[in-house]
Structures are given as C-alpha cells and as structure tokens.
Amino acid sequence: MPEQDTLSRAHTETPKIRSLPANIEAEAAFLGAVLIDNRVLEELPSPIRPEHFFEPVHARVFERILTLMDRSAVVTPVTLKPYFETDEALKELGGITYLARLTADGQGLLAPRELAEQIYDLALLRELVTVGRNLVEGALDTSEDVAPMLQIEQAEASLFKVAEGAAGQNEASTFGMATHKALGMIEMAINSGGNISGKTTGLTSINEKIGGLHDSDLIILAGRPGMGKTSLVTNIAFNCADRYLRDKNDGIDESVGAPVAFFSLEMSADQLATRILSEQAGISSEALRMGKISRDDFQKLSFASQRLAELPLFIDDTPALTIAALRTRARRLKRKHNIGLIVVDYLQLLQGSGRANDNRVNEISEISRGLKTLAKEIEVPVIALSQLSRAVEQREDKTPMLSDLRESGSIEQDADMVWFVYREDYYVAAKEPKRPVETDDQKVHEAYAAWMAEMEQVFGLAELVVAKQRHGSTGKVRMKFEARITKFSDLADDDRRADYV
C-alpha cells in the first residue's frame, strides 16, 4: 500500500545532516579585499568583529588586522607573516602562502560591503541557533525546579542581544575600548557647556551636581509620602523626552534628551498625563480633576495637549509587574523606540520571582539587582522610586539618611546614586498652631505669628539630597516646588547662591 511504502521509506532514508549557516568563501574574499585595501573597513555598514567569522583562522587573521590598523600600520600578507609563521591551523591550509592566496584574485573588492553584511547576518543566524538550542534544552530539562517564566525571560534577554547585534560582546573589553567611550562622554560634557555628560534632568541645579543621568546607572529616588517623589520624577521624565523631541525637530543628532519609558505601578497613565498637562498648562491639577476650570483654561489645556501629542514618553501602568516582566517590556521598548531613560514608580510595588520563600528582604534584594542588571544590559539610566521607613518621623531632624531606605540594604548597595526629596515646609505646615481670634491670649497670637514667619522662610523650597554618588560628591541641591501644579524648578540665580556644596 502507498501508506506502507511511505513509512518504510521514511525508516530507510538517511536523515540529512544540517550544518551551521556559514560562507567560508565569502570570509576569505572579504579578508582578501581588506588586505588589498585597508580602507575597506572604514566603509562597512555592519560592525564586523573577529567572532563573526565562522572559520577560526579567519577570525584570528581579522583580529590581527584590527590590531595593526589601530597602530596605524599598513596591513598586507607580508606584515601579517611574522604573526602566523607558527600557527598550526594555518599550516593545514597551506601556511603563509594562504595569506597571499587571499589577495590573489581580488574578487572581494567588487562587493566588500555585501560580503561584510553576509558574514554579519550569518553570524547572527548562528547565534539564533545557539539561543534556540539552549531554549529547547532548558525547556526539556525538568530535573530542577520548573520555572517557565524565568526561562521565557532568559530567552527574551538572549534574543534582545541578538537583535541588538550584541552577540559575543560579553567578553572583556580592552582598556582602549573603555577609554574611547569615556572620551566620548567627556566630549559630550564639553559640548554641553561643561555641565552634563549624560541625559538631562531638565533642572540645571541637578545637572550641575551629578553631570546628568548616565547610562547603566541605577538611581534610587526616595522620600516619605507627600515629599513629591512622583512629581519630581515625572518632571524629569517629561524634560528628558521634551528635550529629545525639540532637538529632533531642530535637526540636532546628538541630543542630551531621550525617549522615556515610565513604568507606573501606583498611578494610572491618565493620572500621570493629567499631572504633565497641569504643569505645562499652568493649571492646578486639583482643578483639572474637579473640572473647575474656565474656558480660557480649557483652551490652554487644549494647546498643551496638542504640543505634547508627539512626546516620546511611553507609560506602562500595568499593576503588579514582576521584575522579570518589567525587564522584558523594557527590552521591547528599547528595541522599538530606542528609549534612553527608564522610570519605575515605585520599587516596592514590583514583585520578585516568587522563589524568595516569602522573605520580603530577599525579594527586594532580587528586585534591586534586577533593576541594576537591566540598566547595564540595555545601557540606559534607570530611576526607581523607593519608600523610606518611619524612622524619619521619630527624629528631630527629618532629613533622610541612607539607613532610612526601607526593607533592604541591597537597595543602597546596588544603586549608583541615591537621592532623597526633602521639603521642610511639609513638616512646618504640620505644626500649624491654633489660628488666633480676637479673644485669644497674646501668647496664641505670638505663637501663630512665629509659625507664619517660619513658614514664609521655607514655603515652596525643596532639597534634593544626593546621599550616594559613585561618580562624584554628595551634598544637597535646593529647588523650588510649586505644589499647585506639582512642579519642581530651579531657584532664581540670586537664591541659588546659598546652595549647598
């Protein structure tokens, strides 16, 4: 029967052995083109590296080419000869004469860019094969605790590296590569007027203190309830996204702004949008919520919303996110919108992997490590809001300290910077004495007058306490806070003379 013939044929046929994607001839032709004309490497569309070559000998030859070119040396088969005279693998291909054969016909010069693209694409395909194989092996291995969500998160991370062309970048960087990147940051700081080498906060006083928000940094912004943590971080997120949009519209390529991802676990997206609209239109956020605005105010609101329609600020208000899910979503936003800043409001509302055995300290430690790993992995600054313990309220001096960070010392350890928001007027307002009437004793009038005098001195002022900074000094920065529209701004130049150092 036909069915039996098919089955028998299936058992007798030898399965095809599939090999990894590679093109050895293209690698040889490309190396030949480079050895004939070293300038070929200056015009490549793809970042070719030695690990992209399938043939190990080709990888070593290309690595030596790059090393010699870094020394401004002319690279030819003759100048390569001393480095490969004892190479056993090269001897199997014909020895030193193989280097000369690479340049024999010069076919690679006809299309070096296309050859480079093919070598790069095939390397990515091989990396995809590795990711897929590891994914299958991990999914089939049930000898350990089954954690499918963790495996999905790891697979997403691996695919992100491939998508970003980061395959093979986990190896140690040379000091030359590190210094080159450092010089780029210094040049950016010089071009910005000497104040900022990272992403802008939009607040000159903060930028001058920290030099901007640096890639791969985890910044913890903490404070007691009512201090304005969310207001400050919303201002920073808007300022960074708005600067990017303005620079883009002005044709500026190297912007100190960036698209922003805002993970709001406490407030909804429309509530955050209302805050930003309130600030930009100069209308009280309370009036907006109550609908107590005039037609002129509504027109201002309409103009503000039109201006902000293209703002590259992406809000994810999914509740009860796990740290793994947040990292997955952040990678997607990085891939789709090239975000340059991540905000998390707030850290204690994130969930761990569920394997911390109901130990909250361990769970918070896992979350803080996960945020720091995310910052390094996709190379963007991450600002995470955090609560403080009630120990602040029990002290005479209410200024927060590092020991006030709630639930885990790992937050302080993992953070590159720790900021505290402190508003003295919040505590002074809470001490308001009885409002005097005409029949009250003179002491009541004096107490209220003294309170009013103290309130006038501190009203509308806020401090950003930089309690930890890996890249610079700690200290305090004074700012102005407009509670009506929940906006932080710089003090006037005359008032800033009393800033702390």
Side-chain angles (χ1 to χ4, degrees):
M1 293 178 66
E3 293 181 0
Q4 292 177 336
D5 292 340
T6 302
L7 289 173
S8 60
R9 189 164 56 250
H11 284 294
T12 56
E13 285 182 351
T14 303
K16 294 182 179 179
I17 299 176
R18 310 236 6 217
S19 57
L20 288 173
N23 188 339
I24 305 298
E25 292 77 11
E27 294 179 3
F30 175 73
L31 288 176
V34 174
L35 290 174
I36 294 173
D37 184 358
N38 294 170
R39 292 173 298 179
V40 165
L41 288 180
E42 299 174 1
E43 304 171 356
L44 295 184
S46 302
I48 296 295
R49 297 190 302 275
E51 55 267 27
H52 289 142
F53 288 81
F54 181 75
E55 170 57 52
V57 171
H58 291 166
R60 291 198 296 277
V61 169
F62 189 68
E63 184 176 19
R64 179 54 60 180
I65 289 173
L66 294 179
T67 302
L68 292 175
M69 289 186 65
D70 281 342
R71 301 174 186 169
S72 300
V74 176
V75 187
T76 67
V78 175
T79 56
L80 284 179
K81 179 180 177 182
Y83 302 100
F84 291 95
E85 286 179 330
T86 59
D87 193 300
E88 295 298 327
L90 188 62
K91 288 181 181 178
E92 296 180 5
L93 297 176
I96 300 301
T97 57
Y98 180 73
L99 298 176
R101 290 209 311 271
L102 291 175
T103 61
D105 54 18
Q107 288 186 4
L109 286 175
L110 300 176
R113 292 168 61 91
E114 288 75 9
L115 289 172
E117 287 182 351
Q118 186 179 105
I119 294 169
Y120 181 75
D121 290 344
L122 291 173
L124 292 186
L125 288 176
R126 291 196 298 274
E127 190 66 21
L128 274 177
V129 171
T130 302
V131 171
R133 183 172 63 248
N134 293 338
L135 179 61
V136 171
E137 290 176 354
L140 293 176
D141 183 10
T142 58
S143 59
E144 302 293 335
D145 293 337
V146 178
M149 292 307 299
L150 178 60
Q151 292 185 18
I152 291 172
E153 197 270 337
Q154 291 172 343
E156 178 83 23
S158 299
L159 287 172
F160 174 79
K161 291 179 181 179
V162 177
E164 291 294 301
Q169 284 189 347
N170 292 332
E171 298 177 3
S173 300
T174 65
F175 189 72
M177 294 167 61
T179 53
H180 180 75
K181 187 172 182 179
L183 286 173
M185 294 175 61
I186 295 169
E187 184 179 9
M188 182 183 292
I190 295 172
N191 294 336
S192 69
N195 293 330
I196 181 169
S197 59
K199 308 295 189 304
T200 182
T201 64
L203 296 164
T204 303
S205 52
I206 299 180
N207 286 341
E208 289 177 349
K209 183 65 180 174
I210 65 171
L213 306 170
H214 300 91
D215 291 343
S216 303
D217 273 5
L218 172 61
I219 301 116
I220 298 296
L221 174 58
R224 289 294 293 157
M227 289 293 107
K229 300 186 298 295
T230 301
S231 298
L232 178 57
V233 82
T234 303
N235 293 166
I236 291 174
F238 168 81
N239 293 338
C240 188
D242 185 59
R243 177 62 180 269
Y244 175 81
L245 182 61
R246 287 189 284 116
D247 286 349
K248 180 181 177 183
N249 292 336
D250 292 340
I252 300 174
D253 295 329
E254 296 293 331
S255 175
V256 294
V260 180
F262 198 119
F263 291 91
S264 178
L265 287 84
E266 186 176 36
M267 298 173 63
S268 64
D270 59 296
Q271 288 174 325
L272 277 174
T274 300
R275 282 198 174 202
I276 294 174
L277 281 172
S278 167
E279 174 198 336
Q280 293 304 303
I283 303 171
S284 166
S285 55
E286 182 178 357
L288 288 182
R289 288 195 303 271
M290 303 291 289
K292 297 179 179 179
I293 58 175
S294 65
R295 290 197 173 274
D296 289 341
D297 287 341
F298 186 79
Q299 192 172 23
K300 290 180 184 178
L301 204 63
S302 178
F303 287 148
S305 64
Q306 291 176 16
R307 190 171 67 84
L308 301 178
E310 297 180 0
L311 191 71
L313 176 57
F314 306 94
I315 301 174
D316 187 331
D317 60 358
T318 306
L321 272 178
T322 63
I323 181 61
L326 184 142
R327 290 171 63 182
T328 297
R329 290 168 185 242
R331 291 189 203 99
R332 290 173 184 166
L333 286 168
K334 172 71 173 179
R335 190 165 61 245
K336 291 174 63 178
H337 303 291
N338 195 30
I339 58 170
L341 171 63
I342 294 173
V343 175
V344 181
D345 182 14
Y346 58 92
L347 186 150
Q348 278 82 6
L349 287 178
L350 281 171
Q351 297 180 8
S353 62
R355 294 178 295 171
N357 299 322
D358 297 325
N359 188 319
R360 183 59 176 165
V361 172
N362 290 344
E363 186 177 28
I364 291 295
S365 299
E366 178 191 355
I367 291 169
S368 65
R369 284 195 304 271
L371 291 174
K372 176 57 183 175
T373 301
L374 173 64
K376 289 191 66 177
E377 181 182 1
I378 65 177
E379 295 187 331
V380 301
V382 174
I383 304 177
L385 274 62
S386 177
Q387 293 179 332
L388 291 179
S389 69
R390 291 190 178 90
V392 178
E393 312 295 339
Q394 299 167 6
R395 297 196 301 264
E396 183 68 26
D397 182 4
K398 301 293 193 293
T399 306
M401 301 183 296
L402 288 172
S403 58
D404 296 324
L405 284 170
R406 185 173 170 181
E407 292 177 312
S408 177
S410 66
I411 297 177
E412 174 190 346
Q413 176 182 323
D414 294 328
D416 297 279
M417 281 191 277
V418 178
W419 301 346
F420 296 120
V421 185
Y422 175 64
R423 287 172 43 220
E424 189 175 355
D425 63 357
Y426 176 87
Y427 293 105
V428 174
K431 297 187 296 183
E432 180 180 2
K434 177 183 179 295
R435 285 178 178 267
V437 295
E438 292 183 7
T439 57
D440 281 335
D441 186 81
Q442 181 65 25
K443 290 184 178 179
V444 176
H445 287 271
E446 291 176 355
Y448 193 79
W451 175 83
M452 283 290 292
E454 184 180 6
M455 193 65 183
E456 286 179 4
Q457 286 184 341
V458 298
F459 181 75
L461 296 178
E463 287 181 351
L464 182 73
V465 181
V466 181
K468 176 184 178 181
Q469 183 179 186
R470 292 195 200 276
H471 316 295
S473 62
T474 58
K476 300 178 182 179
V477 174
R478 294 203 310 162
M479 298 177 292
K480 182 180 179 182
F481 179 66
E482 300 176 62
R484 187 178 68 88
I485 57 174
T486 62
K487 179 181 180 180
F488 284 83
S489 57
D490 291 307
L491 292 174
D493 289 340
D494 290 342
D495 294 326
R496 288 182 61 197
R497 66 181 181 273
D499 276 3
Y500 295 89
V501 178

